[in-house]
Amino acid sequence: MTTSHGPLTGVRVIDLASVVMGPYAAQLLGDMGADVIKVEPPGGDLTRITRPQRNPGMGALALNVNRNKRGIVLDLKSPEGQEALLKLVEGADILLTNMRPGALRRLGLDYERLSAANPKLIYCNAQGFRTDSPQAGLAAYDEIVQASSGLVDLMRRATGTPDYVPSILADKVCALTITYSVLAALVHQRATGQGQQVEVPMTDTLLAFTMVEHLSGQTFEPPLGPTGFNRAMAKPHRAVRTKDGWACILPYTDKNIAEFFLAVGEPELAADERFQDHEQRAHNYSALYALVEQFAVRHTTAEWQEICGDRSIPFAPVLELDEAADNPYFEPLITQAIHPTEGPYRQIGFPVRFSATPATIREHCPTLGQHTGEVLAELGLNDPKGGSAPAG
């Protein structure tokens, strides 16, 4: 077992989750020093079948959400597999799962049973909908959560079509929510010796995330206006075409806006009362952004970078995904590594910097069942019959 380093050194986490949300949260905890044990069924986590991949069971997505973990295989439908998991639970601080409530009860993995085995356990269950709701047992993938939380409607309002955000946003926002929630519970556990159940409903979480700005006028009783944050919903609220590419040009403050119009040789617009203060702009963002779009084609992206830089106007070139991954700015974050079975690959680092207890990448994504024998030996158990894969 590799000695870990980081603010969570000494914390043990059981990753009893699949796909992205739970495993990503567990990886973040592992990056911060926790000893994370990933428990998979004999067939492996669903991310192991995603493409692209060089070898079966080791796709890009699996590599990106499963580092800094020891991987074991248990058949939780067997008495031996359940015995091994209970032994693991006895020495764990945190357990993460995204199994649906019915499946957890059928397997005897509900909070009541596991907390009886370890009263200090922080048991985090995350699923699409609250367990006390009629939707509790429904399957919920990222797109389902985006639709159920109003995010798809926001895309319809903004683009004219009910698109999904082209990122597994719900899974990743909920992974971050899981992470800070179990850490809060860990503070309580360390102070009192008490564990607790932490429930993270994905739809509730994404709705709360989205409505920070988009509850808008409906925040008040009686309402002062509709839902939808007017600046974000303004048309065109998008990157603009320059003479030779695309850029985000975002004059935001009174001074930014006046200087933008002066820079493009339109001094009368610098004095336009529609854009003079936040109160006026609240009703005229569409007009403002249309003018930015109209004038953006007068200069190249590099020229805009100089113009905006000289005037402290918020600006960024629109980087293609390939460009972003290769941008020198991100060199400390996206680095080259050698996986024992997969060979050279690029790993995405931990973005937060700790001055005293830095996060580290200590282990690559394990192969299926790689550490089964090692972990069970630590528990004083043999491999459960039919419930382990060869180590290595």
Side-chain angles (χ1 to χ4, degrees), residues 13-19 23 26 36-50 56-59 61-63 65-67 69-78 81-82 84-85 88 96-99 107 109 364-372 375-376 384 386-390 392:
V13 177
I14 301 172
D15 176 7
L16 190 62
S18 61
V19 196
V36 180
I37 299 172
K38 180 177 179 65
V39 179
E40 298 181 74
D45 184 346
L46 283 174
T47 56
R48 292 196 180 275
I49 64 173
T50 58
M58 295 297 288
L61 188 55
L63 290 173
V65 296
N66 287 307
R67 66 162 177 254
K69 301 179 185 181
R70 294 190 287 165
I72 71 172
V73 169
L74 296 177
D75 180 1
L76 296 177
K77 296 178 181 178
S78 72
Q82 292 197 11
L85 185 69
L88 268 177
L96 308 180
T97 180
N98 62 340
M99 290 187 197
L107 291 170
L109 301 177
H364 303 282
C365 170
T367 55
L368 181 60
Q370 178 178 337
H371 302 97
T372 302
V375 172
L376 295 183
S388 65

Side-chain angles (χ1 to χ4, degrees), residues 22 49 84 95 143 171 178 193 210 264 267 280 309 321 330 344 348 353:
I49 64 173
L95 180 141
E143 295 87 345
D171 275 22
I178 289 168
T210 301
V264 295
Q280 294 300 317
L321 276 176
F330 295 115
I348 306 161
R353 295 185 174 189

Side-chain angles (χ1 to χ4, degrees), residues 130-367:
R130 292 190 313 277
T131 54
D132 62 355
S133 70
Q135 299 95 328
L138 298 179
Y141 290 92
D142 197 273
E143 295 87 345
I144 303 300
V145 177
Q146 288 194 31
S148 300
S149 64
L151 193 60
V152 172
D153 179 59
L154 277 178
M155 294 296 292
R156 179 193 62 78
R157 295 194 204 182
T159 68
T161 57
D163 297 318
Y164 305 119
V165 176
S167 175
I168 45 176
L169 183 71
D171 275 22
K172 292 184 287 186
V173 167
C174 291
L176 299 176
T177 304
I178 289 168
T179 304
Y180 70 68
S181 298
V182 298
L183 291 177
L186 186 66
V187 171
H188 174 76
Q189 182 223 57
R190 292 296 197 251
T192 67
Q194 296 175 346
Q196 61 182 300
Q197 185 173 12
V198 177
E199 181 175 300
V200 180
M202 296 177 70
T203 301
D204 303 55
T205 299
L206 197 59
L207 177 74
F209 177 86
T210 301
M211 286 299 192
V212 167
E213 74 276 33
H214 286 294
L215 190 56
S216 195
Q218 296 288 313
T219 300
F220 301 94
E221 292 289 355
L224 298 183
T227 55
F229 185 50
N230 58 358
R231 187 172 76 82
M233 303 307 295
K235 293 181 175 60
H237 179 244
R238 60 190 176 217
V240 293
R241 185 180 289 280
T242 66
K243 188 180 284 188
D244 64 349
W246 295 89
C248 172
I249 303 171
L250 196 69
Y252 186 75
T253 66
D254 301 350
K255 187 171 185 288
N256 287 161
I257 292 165
E259 293 202 348
F260 172 83
F261 288 128
L262 291 172
V264 295
E266 304 288 343
E268 71 284 359
L269 290 172
D272 193 313
E273 64 180 16
R274 292 175 298 171
F275 314 131
Q276 289 303 296
D277 55 41
H278 282 291
E279 179 65 28
Q280 294 300 317
R281 286 196 295 278
H283 306 289
N284 294 290
Y285 277 119
S286 290
L288 174 62
Y289 293 151
L291 288 168
V292 172
E293 187 171 50
Q294 177 185 331
F295 298 137
V297 293
R298 295 182 177 182
H299 300 285
T300 66
T301 302
E303 288 168 347
W304 274 117
Q305 188 154 21
E306 183 176 353
I307 290 166
C308 292
D310 289 344
R311 294 163 177 80
S312 296
I313 297 171
F315 168 88
V318 173
L319 299 181
E320 295 182 3
L321 276 176
D322 290 350
E323 289 180 295
D326 292 330
N327 191 294
Y329 173 82
F330 295 115
E331 283 181 3
L333 187 65
I334 301 178
T335 57
Q336 296 282 342
I338 305 293
H339 192 283
T341 64
E342 306 312 298
Y345 77 110
R346 299 170 83 183
Q347 60 184 6
I348 306 161
F350 189 81
V352 178
R353 295 185 174 189
F354 295 85
S355 65
T357 55
T360 57
I361 299 177
R362 306 172 303 281
E363 301 287 348
H364 303 282
C365 170
T367 55

